[in-house]
Amino acid sequence: MAVIAVLFVLVLAAGALYQFLGARRAARLYRAPGTMLDIAGERLHVVCSGESGPPVVFESGIAASSLSWTRVIRDVATFTRACAYDRAGLGWSDPERRPRTVARMLGELRGVLANAATAGPYILVGHSFGAFLVCAYASQHPAEIAGIVLLDPPSEWHEITPDRVRLLRGGIHLSRIGGALARFGIVRACLALLTGGAPGVPRNLARIFGPTAARTLERLVGEVRKLPPDVHPTVQALWCQPKCFYAMANHLAVLQEAAAVVAGITSLSDIPLVVISSGDQSPDTIARHRALARLSSQGRHMTAGKTGHWIQFDDPELVVTTIRGIVDRARRPGLQLPSGLDNRTDRSGSGQLWGRNQCT
């Protein structure tokens, strides 16, 4: 037993050393492309490009970073100011210093707007969990907002069922396990094998934690592959860090609160609003998205054709064109949002959306 214990300790020590050396190397190779700002007690990474025009600020999904906007932010920056940031614990931002709450994250978003973007009013673009934060912020500060684009909000979480509670608890538990595995280099080794042409080992390891973990790994790998290939090594380097897994757990823990806050919003006044549903959503979720769009007198709903949950990966042109329409509306307040939104865009670059009326 003593020999086994010693071997176990040696393996852990070797894993920790492997993780330390790998993290130090990654920090040299994959430096933060933006700047670090001290906002509400957290050091957050913010990346901006573009100069003139109504500032567009992107809010990422529940455990996603500013990299999730790679396919759209460069194009948006050609016609207006565009900024994305990493919430505490994610991407290049420092680990969280305080527990996650909706109020705290909204305070951090306000700090990003004040310190990184040019003078408002702002256009907010939120994906998934980020759509909840965008809605909550707009409802509290409507005078600051020139428009909103929501990509596939997780509106199904407005209804908290026993199955969803179990799913959430399981996700939090697995995320914390992932953080522990990352500390000892296991995540780094698995990702190296996965990207090096030996996917069997990490997939078999995931199956140890059940079919849900295995399916999640497959889905995440599939979504990451939709990013430009030059971004893949950076994503891999970021997700080798324990902080990202612990941040995922902490963000999952606040999902119910965020869903409840948005469910309690009764009006978004006349803020220009576009809600885009992915093509694989259920009829119940589509109905909730339509109801969300009706919170604004300038609200529109559309379905993004053959897309999955990560609409900005599957149809970035649609997202860019939709944002351009909101930007044009902000520049010319009398301009109405087009009434015929669908997943086809005007190739002339006018920023208008055309096609059969799918709005509600």
Side-chain angles (χ1 to χ4, degrees), residues 26-34 92 234:
R28 292 195 308 268
L29 293 177
Y30 309 108
R31 297 182 183 276
W92 285 275
T234 307

Side-chain angles (χ1 to χ4, degrees), residues 216-347:
T216 300
L217 175 65
E218 296 285 352
R219 180 176 59 81
L220 289 175
V221 170
E223 297 298 343
V224 167
R225 284 176 178 160
K226 295 175 183 177
L227 284 166
D230 61 316
V231 177
H232 294 176
T234 307
V235 175
Q236 179 178 335
L238 292 175
W239 274 102
C240 287
Q241 302 177 67
K243 68 166 188 173
C244 291
F245 289 93
Y246 294 128
M248 182 193 295
N250 295 335
H251 279 78
L252 287 170
V254 82
L255 176 57
Q256 285 183 257
E257 181 194 355
V261 168
V262 174
I265 297 173
T266 58
S267 174
L268 289 172
S269 188
D270 59 352
I271 298 173
L273 164 65
V274 179
V275 181
I276 306 179
S277 303
S278 63
D280 60 357
Q281 281 292 6
S282 68
D284 286 345
T285 299
I286 292 290
R288 291 189 177 99
H289 288 177
R290 289 173 175 163
L292 185 58
R294 288 194 292 270
L295 290 178
S296 169
S297 62
Q298 294 291 319
R300 299 287 187 272
H301 170 263
M302 59 190 296
T303 301
K306 296 181 179 180
T307 63
H309 180 58
W310 294 79
I311 298 171
Q312 69 268 42
F313 292 175
D314 293 330
D315 197 345
E317 184 181 5
L318 170 64
V319 177
V320 172
T321 306
T322 303
I323 294 169
R324 185 189 289 270
I326 299 282
V327 169
D328 288 346
R329 169 68 166 74
R331 285 177 170 146
R332 292 178 285 168
L335 183 68
Q336 295 296 310
L337 287 175
S339 60
L341 298 175
D342 74 353
N343 64 333
R344 294 180 297 173
T345 59
D346 174 21
R347 305 293 178 176

Side-chain angles (χ1 to χ4, degrees), residues 42 44 59-65 85-91 93-102 104-106 108-109 127-133 154 157 168-169 171-173 175-176 239 242-259:
E42 304 283 0
L44 304 183
E59 185 71 66
S60 305
I62 197 160
S65 71
Y85 77 106
D86 302 326
R87 290 191 299 272
L90 299 170
S93 291
D94 284 355
E96 306 131 306
R97 298 178 183 177
R98 298 177 295 174
R100 297 285 82 194
T101 65
V102 171
R104 191 156 289 142
M105 285 187 279
L106 293 183
E108 292 165 6
L109 173 55
H127 170 241
S128 193
F129 177 81
F132 279 172
L133 296 181
W157 285 94
L168 200 54
R169 288 175 179 170
I172 293 170
H173 179 64
S175 297
R176 289 173 177 161
W239 274 102
K243 68 166 188 173
C244 291
F245 289 93
Y246 294 128
M248 182 193 295
N250 295 335
H251 279 78
L252 287 170
V254 82
L255 176 57
Q256 285 183 257
E257 181 194 355

